[in-house]
Amino acid sequence: MKTLLKKEFNTHGQNKLLYIVLLVVGMMQVFLARSLFGAEGGGALAKTIFQDNSIIYSLIATIFTPIIAGVLGYYFISSEFEQRTWEMYFLGIKNKSKILWTKYVVLLFYWIAYNICIWGIFLGLSAFYWQRQVDLFFVWLIPISTTLLGLFLFTAQLSMHFLIPNTQISISIVMVFIGIVGMVLESWLIYVLPLSSGFYLNHIDQFNNLEYIRLIIQNIIFSIILISIVVKRFYL
């Protein structure tokens, strides 16, 4: 797998356009969140302006999750269908499971890195430009939430790229997922529907460690199950 990981980073990771697109989308995410400051979107958990702003950011990050997955899915998965390079992978390695799991691991790395970097930009603007008093608890809570509570939603969009060779269709499903997430108005659905876990912070009055950890574990388990199904169902 080490060789495959290196190949993925060498093949796709050196695409400068990928990073430009991710940066543009990330800045859109930051400034869309900024435009909603003061809209009472932070929920009852927020006790300070920074906390309220941060929870609004996490809501926008949830909505942007399928978009980021769509960008990464295109460059790392759908492009393989377009360029007909999947066959080269299978001829060289002949282990479908290892190839697909490697791609998923690489995409998870990019997902984590994206969330940390964009949150870092938001945090820097909050502290030095918007003059917010930073809360250390929220400094680590938000990137963990956007990454792990959004994991199943991220994985679901990637799965579409693995299972649907048609790039236009797989990317258009981004809007379907955004629509599904946007229609989740009942707070109880957050606890049973992993697609909407990213809204958790907005719906609580008091932070509960056990509940939070349970939602993270739920996202991880559902994601592993989903990608395992994708690996079995994948075909050219």
Side-chain angles (χ1 to χ4, degrees), residues 18-86:
L18 168 63
Y19 299 104
I20 293 173
V21 173
L22 289 175
L23 179 60
V24 170
V25 174
M27 295 310 296
M28 289 172 59
Q29 178 178 313
V30 168
F31 288 107
L32 180 57
R34 173 64 183 89
S35 71
L36 296 176
F37 285 0
E40 298 184 357
L45 179 64
K47 301 297 187 293
T48 67
I49 295 176
F50 173 73
Q51 290 177 356
D52 186 82
N53 295 167
S54 297
I55 293 176
I56 289 174
Y57 170 86
S58 74
L59 294 177
I60 299 303
T62 298
I63 295 171
F64 269 70
T65 294
I67 298 176
I68 303 307
V71 171
L72 293 172
Y74 171 74
Y75 279 99
F76 283 84
I77 303 170
S78 296
S79 63
E80 303 283 12
F81 287 109
E82 288 186 347
Q83 299 169 16
R84 300 184 182 278
T85 50
W86 280 116

Side-chain angles (χ1 to χ4, degrees), residues 78 155-165 169-170 173 177 230:
S78 296
T155 304
Q157 176 60 40
L158 291 183
S159 299
M160 296 301 101
H161 290 270
F162 278 121
L163 297 176
I164 303 175
I169 294 176
S170 59
I173 292 176
F177 280 124
V230 168

Side-chain angles (χ1 to χ4, degrees), residues 103-114:
K103 276 193 176 290
Y104 183 63
V105 168
V106 170
L107 289 165
L108 284 180
F109 170 83
Y110 274 88
W111 170 237
I112 294 168
Y114 171 86

Side-chain angles (χ1 to χ4, degrees), residues 81 86 90 96 100 162-163 165 230-236:
F81 287 109
W86 280 116
F90 294 131
K96 179 181 75 172
L100 298 188
F162 278 121
L163 297 176
V230 168
V231 168
K232 289 183 179 296
R233 301 273 301 178
F234 179 86
Y235 64 91
L236 295 177

